[in-house]
Amino acid sequence: MNLADLELFIQVADAGSLSAAARVLDCSPAVASAALKRLELQLGARLFSRSTRSLRLTREGTLFLAYARKALSLLQEGRGLLDGELHHVAGQLSISAPSDLGRHWLQPALNDFQALYPQVQLQLSLSDELSNFYRDPVDVALRYGQLSDSGLIATRLLDNRRLLCAAPAYLQRAGMPQQLEALKQHNCLTFFLRGERYDHWHFCDEQGNQSDLTVSGNRSASDGALVREWALAGLGIAYKSQLDIAADLRAGRLQAVLPDYWQDAPLYLVYAEREYLRPAVRCFIDFMKARVRG
């Protein structure tokens, strides 16, 4: 299989355009099209659905893309080994993180990491949805809670809890709830993902008792950072990660509500490989582990 054909396939998948990929690789669209057809012939599968206006991956193309990325990455590492660059920490590092965590807790860490490794080019994607490592160009992600995809490597970074919180102005106006059931009488600011609204909140306490409560409110967002902003504005009660609101609690901008109830939400570093990590990825994982250990 021609390595250049493989590289072109990945470029087309990333760019979503044959002509754009051809420009990146400095070849003509005709040459790019021929390479793509040659690869499809070798695989015996159609990798893209084409029309006059669009180009999109087929199911077979999506499946093959993950293996193509891995193959190209391994070949590039092999080249680096031959010319003595395997331990040179450089190149692009793609990181995915929840919106609030990325804007506040993670940002100082990234500044310190890049000061140590100035030749690393950071690319940060902020989203509250877990990235698809087999489709998206993500090297490592930070995510709360247990993961459903057993094919990924998840390293527990630190313990964390989800806490109820509200602005003092809201609590002065609406009153401080004294028990979980009282939350039903309050405006609860919720989060939704892929059309599903997370208004069924889970709690535990120091005795290990589990509680569940369905809440309601007049605002819901797919962005956790926006839910925090609504809480800061005094619009209701939010259920937020302690890492996201720690500075707000210390400054008094937010106040803990029913602090005896919470949900465990440990923070994990997530990546797709353990054995074949690029130097920049390995250094970032080690850096974050050392940072949280203090």
Side-chain angles (χ1 to χ4, degrees):
M1 188 173 292
N2 190 305
L3 179 60
D5 293 352
L6 201 63
E7 186 175 9
L8 180 122
F9 164 64
I10 295 171
Q11 285 288 349
V12 173
D14 290 344
S17 164
L18 194 65
S19 57
R23 285 194 297 271
V24 171
L25 297 176
D26 195 24
C27 66
S28 70
V31 169
S33 180
L36 196 56
K37 289 178 181 178
R38 185 165 55 244
L39 184 60
E40 289 178 328
L41 184 62
Q42 288 177 314
L43 293 170
R46 195 168 182 82
L47 300 176
F48 292 95
S49 293
R50 304 171 180 83
S51 70
T52 55
R53 295 186 178 180
S54 67
L55 185 77
R56 63 179 180 81
L57 282 165
T58 61
R59 179 178 178 276
E60 292 79 8
T62 301
L63 290 172
F64 183 65
L65 180 60
Y67 294 96
R69 290 192 195 281
K70 183 186 293 186
L72 193 61
S73 176
L74 288 174
L75 288 168
Q76 289 170 344
E77 279 196 9
R79 287 175 173 173
L81 180 62
L82 292 176
D83 63 16
E85 293 184 355
L86 184 63
H87 301 292
H88 183 54
V89 184
Q92 182 170 291
L93 175 62
S94 299
I95 303 167
S96 174
S99 55
D100 237 6
L101 185 82
R103 288 185 177 95
H104 301 100
W105 183 83
L106 183 59
Q107 185 175 344
L110 294 181
N111 293 341
D112 293 342
F113 177 79
Q114 203 162 35
L116 287 173
Y117 304 104
Q119 294 187 356
V120 173
Q121 302 162 8
L122 293 176
Q123 180 174 298
L124 179 61
S125 173
L126 298 182
S127 172
D128 291 304
E129 185 172 356
L130 182 62
S131 297
N132 186 326
F133 279 80
Y134 308 109
R135 181 195 64 208
D136 304 327
V138 174
D139 295 311
V140 61
L142 287 93
R143 282 295 178 264
Y144 294 123
Q146 298 289 342
L147 303 174
S148 58
D149 189 344
S150 59
L152 299 175
I153 307 300
T155 298
R156 192 179 181 115
L157 195 58
L158 50 79
D159 294 331
N160 179 58
R161 290 176 173 179
R162 187 169 286 110
L163 306 173
L164 292 163
C165 61
Y170 174 82
L171 296 173
Q172 290 172 7
R173 184 173 70 252
M176 172 70 80
Q178 299 301 315
Q179 54 186 2
L180 286 179
E181 283 293 323
L183 291 175
K184 293 182 177 179
Q185 311 305 319
H186 283 264
N187 193 47
C188 293
L189 307 170
T190 58
F191 174 78
F192 72 86
L193 189 62
R194 295 187 295 273
E196 180 182 356
R197 183 172 178 175
Y198 289 87
D199 55 2
H200 192 68
W201 290 353
H202 305 278
F203 303 92
C204 63
D205 60 23
E206 292 289 356
Q207 289 72 44
N209 300 315
Q210 305 287 324
S211 304
D212 298 283
L213 189 71
T214 300
V215 299
S216 62
N218 62 7
R219 293 198 180 201
S220 184
S222 62
D223 185 340
L226 184 55
V227 174
R228 172 179 163 271
E229 291 295 331
W230 287 342
L232 287 168
L235 299 176
I237 295 177
Y239 201 20
K240 291 288 297 175
S241 162
Q242 188 172 6
L243 286 173
D244 295 342
I245 60 171
D248 298 319
L249 293 173
R250 288 194 300 268
R253 294 186 294 266
L254 290 175
Q255 186 175 339
V257 174
L258 295 169
D260 293 334
Y261 297 92
W262 68 86
Q263 182 182 27
D264 283 323
L267 183 65
Y268 286 86
L269 276 172
V270 185
Y271 40 100
E273 304 249 4
R274 190 190 300 276
E275 187 175 358
Y276 299 112
L277 292 175
R278 291 187 296 108
V281 180
R282 186 178 294 110
C283 285
F284 179 74
I285 292 170
D286 292 342
F287 170 83
M288 292 302 298
K289 289 179 181 178
R291 187 179 182 90
V292 298
R293 286 197 297 264

